[in-house]
Amino acid sequence: MSYTFSRRDFMKYTALTAVAIAGSGMLTGCSNPNRPTGTVGSKLSPGSNICDATLKSATYNRTTLTCEFEIYTKVSLQVNQQHFQVNVTDADNKLHTYYQGVSGVTIDLVDGSNASVDAKTTVTPTLKVSGIENLTSASKVQVLYIPKMYANGSITDSYSDVYATWDITDAIKVTIVD
């Protein structure tokens, strides 16, 4: 017994297959390997071939946010304060973004490097951010690490869509030191 597969049947099953594939993508969620997320202790790999970054600890003492990182470079990278950002969502659900150059905010990076860090090197910088309003009332606090600001030193070719994000809300609320 043979079955003739008509053009109409082909189109119908092709459409059903496309819908099934699209639906399965919605069930798995939208994880982006260029923008991995985690919490304190998570090792994240933004861009997968750029670096592995771990946020070892995050503390807040009502004036300064301190975050200790361990970053393994897979390619030559700069690791300085310009590559970090803090996002704070306040109690009214308004997002505030803090990075190098924001008025009133000081971002220091101890053990970072303005020169390129060679590939296959581990660095352990400590990020210190002061000048942010009281973080204890924030509904969410996140630290972002952007390993490459520009591709091959060209400002017009941006890698700013490749970053790692750690949610440190719970970690800093339990470590407040007066």
Side-chain angles (χ1 to χ4, degrees), residues 9-175:
D9 287 340
F10 175 76
M11 296 301 285
K12 180 170 61 173
Y13 290 118
T14 301
L16 286 173
T17 303
V19 168
I21 291 171
S24 69
M26 290 189 304
L27 294 175
T28 60
C30 298
S31 66
N32 185 335
N34 289 329
R35 300 180 196 141
T37 59
T39 58
V40 174
S42 299
K43 178 173 89 172
L44 305 178
S45 300
S48 72
N49 291 322
I50 296 175
C51 68
D52 292 328
T54 304
L55 176 59
K56 303 297 248 177
S57 69
T59 58
Y60 178 61
N61 69 4
R62 298 198 192 275
T63 60
T64 304
L65 172 65
T66 303
C67 299
E68 296 177 340
F69 289 88
E70 180 178 284
I71 300 170
Y72 174 74
T73 63
K74 294 180 181 180
V75 298
S76 181
L77 294 173
Q78 285 186 323
V79 181
N80 61 40
Q81 65 267 30
Q82 294 175 353
H83 294 260
F84 292 88
Q85 178 176 309
V86 178
N87 290 344
V88 178
T89 304
D90 65 20
D92 296 327
N93 222 20
K94 184 177 178 188
L95 177 66
H96 304 272
T97 304
Y98 301 96
Y99 49 88
Q100 183 68 23
V102 170
S103 180
V105 174
T106 303
I107 298 180
D108 290 317
L109 193 68
V110 180
D111 294 329
S113 174
N114 284 322
S116 290
V117 176
D118 291 334
K120 299 182 180 168
T121 302
T122 300
V123 292
T124 54
T126 300
L127 179 70
K128 293 186 178 267
V129 183
S130 58
I132 298 177
E133 295 293 321
N134 188 351
L135 294 179
T136 56
S137 62
S139 64
K140 183 183 268 189
V141 181
Q142 299 173 307
V143 175
L144 282 72
Y145 170 57
I146 307 163
K148 285 188 122 182
M149 302 298 282
Y150 311 110
N152 300 323
S154 171
I155 293 176
T156 59
D157 192 3
S158 176
Y159 269 115
S160 61
D161 63 337
V162 177
Y163 55 86
T165 305
W166 292 268
D167 185 336
I168 62 170
T169 311
D170 294 335
I172 64 168
K173 288 190 178 185
V174 299
T175 63

